Amino acid sequence: EAAVTQSPRNKVTVTGGNVTLSCRQTNSHNYMYWYRQDTGHGLRLIHYSYGAGNLQIGDVPDGYKATRTTQEDFFLLLELASPSQTSLYFCASSGRDFANTGQLYFGEGSKLTVL
Amino acid sequence: GEQVEQLPSSLIVQEGASVLINCSYTDSASVYFPWYKQEPGKRLQFIIDIRSNMERKQNQRLTLLFDKKTKHLSLHITATQPGDSAIYFCSAREGNTRKLIFGLGTTLQVQP
């Protein structure tokens, strides 16, 4: 099974703070994604990437930067955190089977609270 | 872009009952429709998918029905168990992209 690990699992910061969420996948998948999950909104795509150095804009990118440093590592950056960014963040990856199934492999989530 | 709606938002059933979760989408170009399950405090896990050239797909106690004409899907879970308690998400792959658009989820609670 695909292994996607996220850190930190829990983070509390203050408004205006700087936060980096990390994600690593060890299954040689080309694509990686950052989603946020909020009650009443489901999962919404923030950014995604198809390889090191690549970044694609998702559906809710405002206030977020992301960087894919290697095939394994994808980071989500909040440079001036706001309370509206309090959420549960999921990283995911996809490989060749996505073409036939749409299957994503998710991490365990990072809960971010912005006070 | 694609929009996915899911109903009901929550269900409470007794163990052994069957449940039906409905999902609709808007973009006729969408081809793949994976479903995910999220147990409390856990990551989302892929459980079943269907392609738009199919009408039905079954995986053990899960049956997925698809109606291309009405842009409607339904997930049928039979003989529910407490371990089925989770949030179930319908999703649609947007066109030929790598993006999945998710519904808001259906929270299922199976009482023993």
Side-chain angles (χ1 to χ4, degrees):
Chain A
E1 186 172 333
V4 181
T5 55
Q6 295 180 229
S7 63
R9 296 292 311 282
N10 283 284
K11 175 74 176 179
V12 179
T13 190
V14 296
T15 299
N18 198 323
V19 177
T20 298
L21 303 181
S22 303
C23 178
R24 167 164 282 200
Q25 56 93 8
T26 57
N27 286 278
S28 303
H29 286 169
N30 288 330
Y31 279 80
M32 296 184 73
Y33 310 77
W34 278 106
Y35 282 88
R36 60 178 289 175
Q37 183 181 20
D38 304 286
T39 302
H41 291 281
L43 278 88
R44 294 179 290 174
L45 180 64
I46 305 171
H47 291 299
Y48 63 110
S49 165
Y50 63 73
N54 175 264
L55 183 65
Q56 302 292 312
I57 306 300
D59 298 319
V60 289
D62 292 347
Y64 301 96
K65 292 184 179 179
T67 181
R68 181 88 176 268
T69 55
T70 64
Q71 186 178 33
E72 294 78 20
D73 299 301
F74 194 29
F75 300 93
L76 186 66
L77 311 164
L78 292 75
E79 294 183 334
L80 287 171
S82 72
S84 65
Q85 294 176 308
T86 293
S87 186
L88 182 58
Y89 291 87
F90 283 100
C91 177
S93 71
S94 69
R96 291 179 181 176
D97 55 353
F98 184 90
N100 295 320
T101 65
Q103 182 171 358
L104 298 179
Y105 297 83
F106 282 87
E108 293 185 329
S110 295
K111 184 178 179 181
L112 174 65
T113 303
V114 184
L115 302 175
Chain B
E2 173 70 279
Q3 294 180 39
V4 176
E5 292 191 358
Q6 199 173 330
L7 289 171
S9 59
S10 64
L11 281 172
I12 301 176
V13 299
Q14 293 294 314
E15 184 175 2
S18 296
V19 300
L20 194 68
I21 300 172
N22 295 294
C23 176
S24 62
Y25 65 100
T26 58
D27 188 351
S28 56
S30 293
V31 175
Y32 292 99
F33 302 89
W35 287 67
Y36 291 81
K37 174 184 179 182
Q38 184 183 29
E39 296 177 26
K42 300 286 184 67
R43 71 185 77 201
L44 280 82
Q45 290 193 306
F46 171 85
I47 53 173
I48 193 169
D49 70 295
I50 196 164
R51 186 174 172 154
S52 60
N53 63 355
M54 302 172 66
E55 293 181 350
R56 176 190 174 100
K57 188 170 185 179
Q58 184 170 0
N59 181 0
Q60 298 182 325
R61 295 183 295 109
L62 303 178
T63 301
L64 194 47
L65 302 177
F66 180 78
D67 187 330
K68 189 173 183 177
K69 191 177 296 184
T70 61
K71 298 190 186 73
H72 183 264
L73 302 90
S74 56
L75 177 67
H76 189 214
I77 308 174
T78 59
T80 53
Q81 307 164 357
D84 294 329
S85 296
I87 305 175
Y88 290 81
F89 290 97
C90 170
S91 71
R93 179 179 167 185
E94 189 173 71
N96 200 29
T97 73
R98 280 274 180 164
K99 292 171 59 175
L100 290 186
I101 307 301
F102 286 84
L104 298 188
T106 296
T107 301
L108 172 63
Q109 186 178 340
V110 181
Q111 295 179 333

